[in-house]
């Protein structure tokens, strides 16, 4: 009976492959189509995604960079890779300058004495309040040096609000395009199609550089409080004036809180800043703004207590790495990955336990299929992503000599939704190649190869190093609610969509690993800009 079952599966797989073959006007690799079907069927029939994600979320929990739980997750994922049959499994270390642990955070109105508690969450890598304090709430509007004088001597022990409450779209707002981020629900309005929301507190891409591959700036909340230039001067002013805390609208509906943040530079002091930074539930932030906007002599005062802890550094952090060694070109690589670290208000399920478990599943399915790639496929679970892509940068530095032989890096990092396509970061020359090679994925909902760029996750350091680096363009589902919030929990995961994601990742990795040559590094738009610049210089010389 088992023989006939296996034979039936083989014939069904062969039938699917030849159906695809018959649809094509140009010759395609029938053997590769069969391999695609075998791998996709393995994921669908024997997936371990939810089993792994459940353990990661429920048994290990949130995985803040530098924490013991992240190290536990490193060890567990390495053990999984070994159990699945990956080779050269190891933890690759790098250092962060200082660790941080979240404590409790509470606030309540004391004037007006309405008894109302205020929902708050601390940003990462900021100090607490050194006990319970009472503070005036002050609206603070300053965008340049000249604006600071009006506040001199008026901010002692104050908490400041630096911007009006954000506009929030209703929770039932639906995007007209399944692959487009829903409007609202994030600070600073809407996400654009295919972007990851760089520079927005609480958004994917916070502190992580732009789509073009710029290095992210260190130092707190980009576009918020602690940035370069004027922001450095502002920080010193607030510190000198004795400000107790800065408050930011979480900009999400129904009491959702966000968190984000990072250490500053390479400092290893026990406390990097003297000012607490808190995200406030949108509804409560809006009330604080209304109360603080009343004319004198009305006052708005709150009681605040935050307890955070810095861990003296340097702190050693690890990426988890394992390989399926290539049969013909073992010293050439395709990198498949996700980030294992998470924020700590919930379980880190959709950001990015989902991507981590999809990556593990892709590895399992390829090995189980028995089909060997020609190049080595290296599976990497990066860490330190949430604080600025530190793990992927450390990987690129450690493996600098191998990057010239790395064909591609692809990461899965936008929650639980289906993978709808890839944006090729302007690499126009690769579009027809990917459209041909990823034909099999159309039957599972993979729709579009574009040249769009995406920022905010671990493909960017590869792009900066010249390696084609891509992030999956996913259906956003409830990502605007789960992302960096206390709602990022296991129950939000959609198994069928994660199965599809693992199928896409596995087939893509195998196809690129088996190409005759490494992927081209060429970007037509870059070449065009260079030619225009050269022409301009030539014209200047002639003049």
């Amino acid at each position: 009976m088992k023989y006939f079952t296996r034979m039936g599966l083989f014939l069904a797989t062969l039938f699917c492959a030849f159906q695809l073959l018959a649809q094509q006007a140009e010759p395609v690799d029938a053997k590769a189509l069969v391999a695609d079907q075998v791998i996709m069927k393995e994921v669908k029939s024997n997936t371990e995604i939810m089993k792994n994600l459940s353990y990661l979320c429920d048994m290990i929990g949130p995985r803040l960079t530098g924490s013991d739980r992240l190290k536990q997750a490193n060890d567990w994922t390495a053990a999984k890779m070994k159990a699945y049959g990956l080779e050269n499994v190891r933890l690759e270390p790098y250092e962060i300058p200082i660790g941080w642990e979240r404590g409790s955070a509470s606030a309540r109105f004391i004037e007006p004495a309405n008894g109302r508690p205020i929902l708050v969450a601390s940003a990462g890598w900021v100090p607490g309040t050194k006990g319970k304090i009472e503070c005036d709430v002050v609206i603070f509007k300053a965008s340049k040096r000249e604006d600071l004088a009006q506040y001199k001597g008026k901010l002692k022990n104050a908490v400041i609000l630096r911007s009006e409450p954000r506009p929030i779209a209703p929770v039932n707002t639906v995007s007209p395009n399944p692959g487009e981020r829903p409007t609202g629900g994030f600070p600073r309005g809407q996400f654009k199609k295919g972007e990851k929301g760089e520079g927005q507190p609480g958004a994917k891409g916070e502190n992580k550089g732009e789509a073009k591959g710029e290095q992210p700036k260190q130092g707190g909340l980009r576009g918020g409080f602690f940035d370069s230039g004027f922001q450095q001067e502002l920080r010193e002013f607030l510190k000198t004036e004795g400000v107790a805390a800065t408050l930011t609208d979480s900009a999400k509906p129904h009491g959702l809180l966000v968190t984000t943040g990072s250490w500053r530079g390479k400092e290893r002091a026990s406390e990097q800043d003297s000012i607490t930074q808190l995200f406030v539930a949108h509804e409560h932030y809006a009330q604080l703004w209304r109360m603080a906007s009343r004319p004198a002599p009305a006052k708005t005062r709150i009681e605040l207590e935050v307890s955070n802890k810095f861990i003296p550094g340097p702190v050693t952090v690890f990426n988890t790495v394992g390989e399926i060694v290539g049969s013909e070109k073992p010293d050439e690589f395709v990198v498949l990955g996700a980030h294992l670290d998470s924020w700590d208000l919930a379980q880190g399920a959709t950001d990015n336990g989902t991507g981590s478990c999809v990556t593990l599943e892709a590895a399992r399915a390829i090995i189980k299929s028995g089909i060997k790639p020609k190049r080595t496929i290296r599976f990497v679970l990066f860490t330190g992503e949430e604080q600025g892509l530190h793990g992927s940068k450390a990987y690129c530095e450690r493996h600098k000599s191998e990057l010239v032989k790395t064909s591609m890096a692809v990461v899965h990092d936008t929650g639980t939704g289906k993978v709808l396509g890839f944006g090729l970061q302007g690499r126009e020359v690769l579009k027809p190649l990917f459209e041909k090679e990823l034909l099999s994925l159309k039957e599972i909902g993979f729709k579009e190869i574009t040249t769009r760029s995406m920022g905010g996750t671990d493909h960017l350091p590869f792009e900066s190093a010249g390696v084609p680096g891509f992030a999956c363009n996913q259906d956003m589902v409830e990502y605007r609610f789960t992302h960096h919030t206390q709602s990022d929990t296991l129950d939000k995961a959609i198994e069928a969509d994660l199965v599809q994601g693992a199928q896409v990742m596995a087939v893509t990795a195998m196809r690129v690993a088996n190409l005759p040559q490494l992927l081209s590094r060429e970007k037509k738009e870059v070449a065009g800009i260079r030619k225009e610049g050269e022409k301009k210089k030539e014209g200047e010389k002639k003049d």
Side-chain angles (χ1 to χ4, degrees):
M1 180 62 72
K2 286 183 180 178
Y3 170 79
F4 290 108
T5 302
R6 287 197 300 269
M7 180 59 71
L9 285 171
F10 173 75
L11 291 174
T13 300
L14 201 61
F15 176 73
C16 290
F18 279 106
Q19 272 192 318
L20 286 167
L21 187 63
Q23 296 170 12
Q24 301 310 298
E26 59 179 292
V28 294
D29 188 341
K31 186 178 178 182
L33 288 175
V34 171
D36 295 345
Q37 295 297 323
V38 169
I39 290 169
M40 288 194 290
K41 200 170 289 290
E42 173 58 35
V43 176
K44 186 174 182 178
S45 301
N46 301 305
T47 179
E48 294 190 9
I49 292 175
M50 290 307 297
K51 174 185 171 184
N52 288 336
L53 186 58
S54 297
Y55 187 91
L56 189 63
C57 292
D58 287 340
M59 304 305 293
I60 297 177
R63 304 163 300 280
L64 190 65
T65 299
S67 68
D68 291 340
R69 285 182 181 177
L70 180 57
K71 179 56 166 61
Q72 186 181 345
N74 283 130
D75 293 336
W76 176 75
T77 51
K80 273 290 171 189
M81 286 182 177
K82 289 176 183 177
Y84 288 156
L86 273 69
E87 300 178 61
N88 303 321
V89 176
R90 69 269 189 189
L91 302 185
E92 294 187 347
Y94 65 96
E95 289 184 348
I96 65 173
I98 191 167
W100 183 82
E101 287 183 6
R102 181 182 303 278
S104 60
S106 63
R108 67 181 182 91
F109 280 98
I110 55 176
E111 190 177 343
N114 56 21
R116 185 168 175 77
I118 303 167
L119 283 174
V120 295
S122 177
W125 276 265
V126 299
T129 56
K130 299 179 182 178
K132 192 175 291 185
I133 58 175
E134 295 185 359
C135 313
D136 289 338
V137 180
V138 177
I139 292 174
F140 181 88
K141 296 181 178 179
S143 58
K144 57 186 182 299
R145 179 181 294 110
E146 291 74 21
D147 296 334
L148 299 178
Q150 62 184 307
Y151 296 103
K152 194 164 183 63
K154 299 177 182 179
L155 300 177
K156 183 71 173 177
N157 294 325
V159 295
I160 64 171
L161 314 178
R162 287 210 53 207
S163 61
E164 294 186 18
R166 305 293 191 188
I168 303 299
V171 296
N172 60 355
T173 300
V174 178
S175 170
N177 184 324
E180 188 172 351
R181 288 179 177 273
T183 58
F186 282 108
R188 300 193 177 182
Q190 303 179 4
F191 280 107
K192 295 178 182 178
K193 186 174 180 180
E195 292 181 346
K196 303 265 284 186
E198 294 82 10
Q200 303 177 30
K204 176 62 63 181
E206 171 65 25
N207 254 352
K208 296 170 192 171
E210 306 300 329
K212 61 184 178 181
E214 292 177 353
Q215 294 301 313
K217 297 175 182 178
Q218 297 296 327
L221 311 180
R222 291 187 60 199
F225 312 118
F226 301 152
D227 207 339
S228 60
F230 170 68
Q231 299 300 328
Q232 171 68 26
E233 184 176 350
L234 175 59
R235 182 176 68 247
E236 293 302 323
F237 178 82
L238 298 180
K239 185 176 178 180
T240 300
E241 292 297 308
V243 170
T246 58
L247 305 184
T248 300
D249 186 355
S250 282
K252 290 180 183 278
H254 298 302
L256 287 170
L257 292 164
V258 301
T259 190
T260 190
S262 183
W263 53 87
R264 295 183 57 241
K266 297 181 179 180
E267 297 176 26
R268 295 177 181 176
S270 60
E271 291 188 357
Q272 299 198 336
D273 284 298
S274 60
I275 300 174
T276 301
Q277 300 175 51
L278 298 173
F279 289 98
V280 184
H282 170 71
E283 299 84 349
H284 295 176
Y285 187 90
Q287 183 178 3
L288 283 165
W289 186 272
R290 291 194 303 270
M291 295 293 95
S293 298
R294 294 175 298 160
K299 276 193 171 185
T300 304
R301 289 175 58 77
I302 66 172
E303 180 184 87
L304 184 64
E305 185 173 21
V306 182
S307 59
N308 294 328
K309 180 182 177 183
F310 285 99
I311 309 301
V315 177
T316 302
V317 186
F318 302 90
N319 294 325
T320 309
V321 181
E323 298 174 348
I324 300 175
V325 177
S327 60
E328 296 181 14
K329 301 175 180 179
D331 61 342
E332 295 184 0
F333 304 92
V334 170
V335 174
L336 221 60
H339 71 87
L340 186 59
D341 64 299
S342 78
W343 281 108
D344 56 341
L345 295 185
Q347 295 179 308
T350 65
D351 190 17
N352 189 27
T354 45
S356 296
C357 292
V358 160
T359 301
L360 287 174
E361 178 65 13
R364 186 200 67 80
I366 292 172
I367 289 176
K368 196 70 175 176
S369 74
I371 304 168
K372 289 281 285 183
K374 294 178 181 178
R375 291 180 181 83
T376 295
I377 303 177
R378 184 174 282 166
F379 300 85
V380 187
L381 300 180
F382 303 104
T383 56
E385 191 268 359
E386 295 293 0
Q387 292 73 44
L389 312 182
H390 293 284
S392 48
K393 285 190 236 175
Y395 173 93
C396 288
E397 182 62 31
R398 174 182 286 267
H399 297 277
K400 187 183 296 185
S401 63
E402 294 174 341
L403 294 183
V404 70
K405 294 184 177 181
T406 300
S407 189
M408 172 189 72
V410 175
V411 299
H412 186 290
D413 181 23
T414 323
T416 192
K418 278 187 176 182
V419 178
L420 303 176
F422 293 131
L424 300 180
Q425 304 288 128
R427 298 181 187 276
E428 191 175 323
V429 69
L430 297 181
K431 191 172 185 290
L433 173 66
F434 270 69
E435 287 173 343
K436 176 185 175 184
E437 292 293 327
L438 303 185
L439 174 69
S440 298
L441 299 180
K442 287 189 174 183
E443 68 183 77
I444 58 171
F446 184 88
K447 296 180 178 180
E448 188 179 27
I449 303 290
T450 74
T451 58
R452 287 197 304 266
S453 293
M454 183 181 289
T457 191
D458 285 311
H459 66 296
L460 287 180
F462 291 90
E463 271 290 304
S464 295
V467 176
F470 314 125
C472 296
N473 177 29
Q474 294 174 243
D475 189 330
M476 298 309 297
V477 194
E478 292 185 310
Y479 195 67
R480 69 170 171 140
F481 304 126
T482 63
H483 178 251
H484 288 213
T485 75
Q486 71 270 40
S487 188
D488 191 3
T489 49
L490 179 64
D491 57 295
K492 309 305 188 304
I494 301 172
E495 182 175 19
D497 289 357
L498 296 174
V499 164
Q500 186 262 8
Q503 291 172 320
V504 170
M505 293 281 275
V507 167
T508 301
M510 283 292 288
R511 282 292 187 142
V512 175
N514 290 336
L515 288 172
Q517 298 175 327
L518 296 172
L519 290 182
S520 169
R521 262 64 168 162
E522 179 188 347
K523 283 190 177 183
K524 274 194 175 182
E525 56 187 26
V526 173
I529 291 169
R530 187 177 296 115
K531 286 177 181 177
E532 287 174 10
E534 288 170 358
K535 286 178 181 178
K536 185 178 179 182
K537 285 183 179 178
E538 288 173 6
E540 289 172 351
K541 287 178 182 178
K542 287 176 183 177
D543 293 338

